[in-house]
Amino acid sequence: MIFPGAIAADAFGRRFRYLRLSVTEVCNFRCTYCLPGGYRKSGPMDFLGLDEAERLVRAFAQLGVAKVRLTGGEPSVRKDLTQIIARVSAQPGVDKVALTTNGWNLARHLDEWTAAGLTNLNVSVDALDRDAFHRITGHDRLGDVLAGIERALVLPLKTVKMNAVLLRDGLADDFSSWTEFVRGRPIAVRFIELMRTGDNKAFFEDQHVSGAVLRHWLERHGWTTKERGGDDGPAIEFTHPDHLGRIGLIAPYAPGFCEGCNRLRVTARGQLRLCLFGQGGRPLRDLLQADDQCEELKARIVGALTFKPAAHGLHSANPGDTRSLAQTGG
Ligand code: SAM
Ligand code: SF4
């Protein structure tokens, strides 16, 4: 019996109020660090349908999840993304519906997604220079992506963030274009240290830049770390009195990164992943076929949590069986 309102916890006492749900493995971009050859079909494209996604989120919400992030692949290639947002947002207990997107069609659809219940938006933008953006993503669409971000800033979203992977390419140890970007915009830019995946070994060795490079640059330019709140994710945030926006750093190789882990992941095919860099998944899809399977589904999730590892194996260059983040939902 699972008590209503109880928050599921793992063997290390970590509680999970945050679910990242991948809605597709498909992506239309070819980011050098993720899908350099573009998306290649592996097996049938039978990603979770609307009813399955709704049942899944209902069960997690009953186990205490309050925030659901939709990710992928590129979630916005799904034609029914607006309906997915609406169904997730309608679940009792869910108070934040977030989306991570490469932003290619943001300007066109963001109003409709926000009206459906989207509350938090993360847009991946790896460079503010048009050529570098084109080179990294395979698409000359920086203008469209930035237009979408400008639209986001006038809509009633709780947070608008940008994600940039720290890469040698396009960086040149100078972050001033980014700090200028956030001077007058209330936006958080979060740099993510490049993570090693099964598919990017050589690229990683060539392009990985330590988060310390960013930290030292910011400190030299008058940025200071923000006081951390209890509900904060893994990013360290920096602020500056002359800038409305913030700069963040997500450094998965830093000590203690996994201790505050508050998230669970479900893949687009309905596998529960206990760690982004874990081994294998626990199938949930067979229990997403009818509304009356909810109790059994919750019991399976709670049982699986006891196997969540204390930390990922990235320090020993072990990315689990994660070939790319597009495949598991980054
Ligand atoms: N397609 C969407 C996007 O790009 O925002 C959502 C999926 S993508 C896998 C989610 C995030 O993971 C993006 O911000 C992307 O930059 C990041 N990412 C992908 N591969 C990565 C890697 N090897 N290391 C660090 N971040 C990575
Ligand atoms: Fe696609 Fe996102 Fe991966 Fe880029 S990072 S290839 S946009 S899934």
Side-chain angles (χ1 to χ4, degrees):
M1 169 74 187
I2 298 149
F3 300 104
I7 303 174
D10 71 1
F12 304 94
R14 294 174 298 192
R15 297 187 178 279
F16 301 98
R17 305 203 51 110
Y18 181 9
L19 171 69
R20 295 171 83 107
L21 172 59
S22 172
V23 295
T24 181
E25 289 172 7
V26 178
C27 186
N28 54 343
F29 275 23
R30 298 191 296 273
C31 300
T32 44
Y33 51 83
C34 182
L35 293 175
Y39 169 72
R40 291 212 188 87
K41 206 169 150 198
S42 67
M45 311 250 273
D46 55 346
F47 307 124
L48 293 183
L50 274 178
D51 291 338
E52 291 173 313
E54 181 173 5
R55 289 185 190 115
L56 180 89
V57 172
R58 182 177 304 136
F60 275 99
Q62 289 180 14
L63 290 172
V65 162
K67 173 174 174 182
V68 179
R69 175 173 302 282
L70 303 174
T71 181
E74 175 47 44
S76 68
V77 301
R78 271 193 72 150
K79 297 220 162 25
D80 57 356
L81 182 61
T82 306
Q83 287 103 297
I84 300 177
I85 293 171
R87 299 259 197 129
V88 171
S89 148
Q91 293 313 308
V94 173
D95 58 23
K96 284 187 189 155
V97 183
L99 176 70
T100 302
T101 174
N102 63 29
W104 71 288
N105 62 359
L106 196 56
R108 210 168 343 130
H109 292 291
L110 189 58
D111 285 61
E112 150 196 337
W113 296 337
T114 308
L118 187 73
T119 57
N120 299 68
L121 178 70
N122 283 34
V123 189
S124 301
V125 186
D126 295 318
L128 290 175
D129 171 75
R130 182 173 165 184
D131 293 337
F133 182 92
H134 189 173
R135 202 166 52 240
I136 294 168
T137 63
H139 287 261
D140 184 12
R141 302 196 75 141
L142 178 64
D144 295 337
V145 176
L146 293 180
I149 291 172
E150 296 301 346
R151 181 69 199 147
L153 291 174
V154 297
L155 288 173
L157 290 160
K158 286 184 184 157
T159 56
V160 181
K161 294 180 183 169
M162 284 159 77
N163 293 351
V165 177
L166 265 178
L167 298 172
R168 244 174 244 299
D169 185 12
L171 187 70
D173 291 356
D174 179 2
F175 297 89
S176 52
S177 59
W178 294 97
T179 50
E180 274 315 301
F181 190 85
V182 303
R183 187 181 283 277
R185 294 180 179 89
I187 197 166
V189 173
R190 288 132 53 100
F191 287 90
I192 312 172
E193 247 185 56
L194 178 64
M195 292 180 244
R196 166 94 158 74
T197 63
D199 282 354
N200 76 2
K201 182 173 186 293
F203 183 87
F204 177 86
E205 282 160 10
D206 184 48
Q207 290 287 323
H208 179 260
V209 176
S210 159
V213 173
L214 170 68
R215 199 153 33 82
H216 293 149
W217 189 95
L218 290 171
E219 283 163 3
R220 276 201 312 277
H221 291 81
W223 291 74
T224 49
T225 40
K226 193 176 144 265
E227 201 59 31
R228 285 173 71 72
D231 199 23
D232 286 351
I236 303 167
E237 290 215 317
F238 296 81
T239 56
H240 189 291
D242 301 337
H243 297 251
L244 217 49
R246 290 165 286 151
I247 302 283
L249 171 64
I250 300 177
Y253 292 91
F257 179 79
C258 301
E259 281 161 24
C261 182
N262 64 353
R263 59 203 58 198
L264 294 169
R265 293 183 154 82
V266 174
T267 70
R269 296 178 197 275
Q271 299 260 328
L272 174 65
R273 301 271 310 195
L274 297 167
C275 172
L276 181 54
F277 293 100
Q279 202 71 44
R282 318 251 151 179
L284 301 179
R285 198 165 194 175
D286 58 305
L287 296 179
L288 299 175
Q289 303 313 310
D291 290 338
D292 63 7
Q293 292 177 298
C294 192
E295 288 304 317
E296 211 184 326
L297 175 60
K298 286 192 287 183
R300 189 179 292 172
I301 296 167
V302 170
L305 281 184
T306 53
F307 295 97
K308 185 169 161 75
H312 62 58
L314 287 180
H315 295 290
S316 43
N318 175 11
D321 59 2
T322 294
R323 291 196 328 269
S324 72
L325 266 58
Q327 168 223 350
T328 33

